[in-house]
């Protein structure tokens, strides 16, 4: 099995870089095999507040805002 | 010493070159029975939710996608080697079933957005009990219509891809703009066909906005708790 995969992020409206990040976060943080009781994340010093990653669209504007703030800090 | 676990693999004997893991730690392959786990040493008990850590996790899991189909752990899986061995040996049948499902596959993701019609009266228009009840009726009709439309979209999307997919996870949210989020599990050789079908689907439904992404390791198809519960009667 040696297929090479290019990541495809397609949307007609939004910046694909931000969407790529949000989609990655959506997969990594919300999905995957869970060993009960072994998820030990800390949100005390949050880099990005992944507000409603399941609600990606409504998060897009929020994410843009967070990214803008991060860039100006 | 704690380990940070990235993903489980079934047919990888050695890592060629894996990216650095959480906190810049080297990633190695830990053999556990017939499986192996991509892990790195981890000193702390908790994992900070930072963009860098999340992207590192994704990159490590993705690094083996060309060679195999990994079963990704969720971000933040910190565990001792003993606990990991115990977890895997206790769930071996369920893990084997899950690998049988995902073997040779990848995940494609599609999210569908629609404009919600709002028929609400402007604030201040409600001047009597009758007007209030009419407004409530309109809201209920709107909710019912939204639910019907959302389910129709889900059915339509399923029909577009059912011949290509091995499994799917679909979330429908009738009351939200992001009306549907679907993850499709499919054999790798179906990807180009899937892209063509989705491009055509977008043409067919110009009133909807689509967001496609992938191929991903099968994050949405990794959880085994349902199989584990049914096998062992855990409720």
């Amino acid at each position: 099995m040696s297929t090479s995969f290019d990541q495809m992020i397609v949307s007609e409206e939004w910046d694909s870089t931000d969407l790529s990040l949000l989609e990655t976060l959506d997969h990594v943080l919300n999905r995957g095999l869970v060993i009960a009781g072994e998820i030990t994340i800390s949100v005390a010093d949050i880099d990005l507040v992944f507000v409603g990653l399941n609600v990606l669209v409504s998060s897009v504007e929020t994410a843009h805002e967070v990214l803008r703030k991060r860039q100006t800090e | 010493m704690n380990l940070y676990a990235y993903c489980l693999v079934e047919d990888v004997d050695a890592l060629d070159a894996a990216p650095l893991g959480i906190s810049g730690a080297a990633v190695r392959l830990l053999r556990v029975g017939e499986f192996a786990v991509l892990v790195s040493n981890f000193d702390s008990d908790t994992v900070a939710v930072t963009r860098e850590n999340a992207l590192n996790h994704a990159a490590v899991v993705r690094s083996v996608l060309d060679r195999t189909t990994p079963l990704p752990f969720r971000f933040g899986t910190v565990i001792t080697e003993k606990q990991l061995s115990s977890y895997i040996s206790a769930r071996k049948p369920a893990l084997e079933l899950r690998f049988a499902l995902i073997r040779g596959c990848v995940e494609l993701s599609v999210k569908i957005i629609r404009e919600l019609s709002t028929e609400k009266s402007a604030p201040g228009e409600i001047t009597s009990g009758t007007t209030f009840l009419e407004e409530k009726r309109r809201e209920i009709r709107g909710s019912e219509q939204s639910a019907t439309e959302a389910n129709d979209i889900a059915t339509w999307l399923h029909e577009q891809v059912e011949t290509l997919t091995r499994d799917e996870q679909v979330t429908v949210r009738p009351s939200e703009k992001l009306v549907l989020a679907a993850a499709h599990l499919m054999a790798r050789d179906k990807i180009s066909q899937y892209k063509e079908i989705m491009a055509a689907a977008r043409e067919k439904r110009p009133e909807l906005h689509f967001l496609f992404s992938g191929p991903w390791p099968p994050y949405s198809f990794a959880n085994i708790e349902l199989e584990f519960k049914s096998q062992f009667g855990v409720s």
Side-chain angles (χ1 to χ4, degrees), chain B residues 176-195:
Chain B
E176 295 178 18
K177 276 184 83 174
L178 180 74
V179 66
L180 181 144
H184 295 130
L185 182 73
M186 72 190 61
R188 294 163 187 240
D189 61 3
K190 307 277 190 200
I191 294 173
S192 56
Q193 213 178 332
Y194 179 85
K195 286 181 183 176

Side-chain angles (χ1 to χ4, degrees), chain A residues 1 8 13 23 40 42 70, chain B residues 47 51 66 111 209 213-214:
Chain A
M1 194 182 305
M8 164 188 75
E13 292 181 17
E23 279 288 273
T40 50
S42 158
R70 283 170 46 80
Chain B
V47 189
R51 176 163 59 174
D66 283 357
K111 291 181 168 70
H209 303 291
S213 72

Side-chain angles (χ1 to χ4, degrees), chain B residues 108-122:
Chain B
L108 279 297
S109 168
V110 56
K111 291 181 168 70
I112 298 182
I113 302 106
R114 64 167 172 186
E115 293 301 323
L116 289 172
S117 56
T118 50
E119 292 183 18
K120 275 189 157 184
S121 306

Side-chain angles (χ1 to χ4, degrees), chain A residues 1-14 17-50 52-58 60-61 67 70-71, chain B residues 45-51 54-55 57-58 62 65-69 71-79 83-84 87 95 104 106-109 111 113 173 176 178 183 188 191 195 202 208-216 219-220 222-225:
Chain A
M1 194 182 305
S2 60
T3 318
S4 181
F5 296 108
D6 293 324
Q7 193 75 5
M8 164 188 75
I9 303 283
V10 180
S11 165
E12 70 270 43
E13 292 181 17
W14 294 294
T17 307
D18 290 345
L19 284 179
S20 175
L21 176 61
L22 283 168
E23 279 288 273
T24 300
L25 297 175
D26 184 22
H27 281 81
V28 168
L29 296 180
N30 289 336
R31 308 170 199 196
L33 181 53
V34 174
I35 301 179
E38 305 302 334
I39 301 297
T40 50
I41 61 174
S42 158
V43 291
D45 64 307
I46 298 169
D47 192 357
L48 271 177
V49 180
F50 309 129
L53 282 169
N54 281 325
V55 192
L56 180 65
V57 174
S58 56
V60 166
E61 287 183 8
L67 289 169
R70 283 170 46 80
Q71 283 161 0
Chain B
D45 290 327
T46 59
V47 189
V49 183
T50 65
R51 176 163 59 174
L55 292 178
H57 178 107
R62 191 170 184 79
L65 189 59
D66 283 357
R67 307 170 56 184
T68 188
T69 302
L71 209 52
F73 284 108
R74 189 171 295 191
F75 178 89
T77 301
V78 176
I79 192 166
Q83 288 169 327
L84 190 56
Y87 174 84
L95 291 168
V106 287
E107 174 181 333
L108 279 297
S109 168
K111 291 181 168 70
I113 302 106
R173 300 185 185 88
E176 295 178 18
L178 180 74
R188 294 163 187 240
I191 294 173
K195 286 181 183 176
R202 195 155 71 171
L208 302 174
H209 303 291
F210 293 81
L211 190 160
F212 305 111
S213 72
W216 299 96
Y219 283 94
S220 303
N223 236 330
I224 60 163
E225 288 311 305

Side-chain angles (χ1 to χ4, degrees), chain B residues 9-211:
Chain B
V9 290
E10 59 173 352
D11 50 5
V12 176
D13 294 325
L15 292 180
D16 296 334
L20 290 178
I22 302 291
S23 307
V27 176
R28 68 179 196 277
L29 202 60
L30 177 70
R31 186 142 291 282
V32 185
E34 68 187 71
F35 304 110
V37 186
L38 271 71
V39 297
S40 59
N41 291 343
F42 192 73
D43 290 332
S44 175
D45 290 327
T46 59
V47 189
V49 183
T50 65
R51 176 163 59 174
E52 184 185 11
N53 281 345
L55 292 178
N56 284 356
H57 178 107
V60 171
V61 177
R62 191 170 184 79
S63 70
V64 292
L65 189 59
D66 283 357
R67 307 170 56 184
T68 188
T69 302
L71 209 52
F73 284 108
R74 189 171 295 191
F75 178 89
T77 301
V78 176
I79 192 166
T80 65
E81 185 172 341
K82 189 177 171 189
Q83 288 169 327
L84 190 56
S85 297
S86 168
Y87 174 84
I88 290 173
S89 60
R91 288 160 175 80
K92 187 167 169 269
L95 291 168
E96 286 171 343
L97 277 177
R98 193 81 335 201
F99 271 117
L101 174 72
I102 65 164
R103 195 171 294 132
C105 289
V106 287
E107 174 181 333
L108 279 297
S109 168
V110 56
K111 291 181 168 70
I112 298 182
I113 302 106
R114 64 167 172 186
E115 293 301 323
L116 289 172
S117 56
T118 50
E119 292 183 18
K120 275 189 157 184
S121 306
E125 270 185 45
I126 298 174
T127 54
S128 69
T130 306
T131 315
F132 174 78
L133 288 174
E134 282 173 359
E135 178 66 18
K136 280 290 163 202
R137 275 195 212 101
R138 198 158 34 234
E139 277 181 27
I140 291 167
R141 275 200 304 272
S143 298
E144 289 170 351
Q145 190 184 344
S146 285
T148 303
E149 284 173 7
N151 289 324
D152 287 348
I153 291 169
T155 304
W156 169 79
L157 181 68
H158 172 79
E159 288 169 355
Q160 306 303 303
V161 298
E162 63 181 330
T163 58
L164 298 179
T165 54
R166 191 177 292 180
D167 198 1
E168 66 178 4
Q169 296 279 341
V170 180
T171 306
V172 179
R173 300 185 185 88
S175 62
E176 295 178 18
K177 276 184 83 174
L178 180 74
V179 66
L180 181 144
H184 295 130
L185 182 73
M186 72 190 61
R188 294 163 187 240
D189 61 3
K190 307 277 190 200
I191 294 173
S192 56
Q193 213 178 332
Y194 179 85
K195 286 181 183 176
E196 286 169 15
I197 285 176
M198 282 302 162
R202 195 155 71 171
E203 296 287 318
K204 284 180 202 165
R205 300 294 295 265
E207 80 280 14
L208 302 174
H209 303 291
F210 293 81
L211 190 160

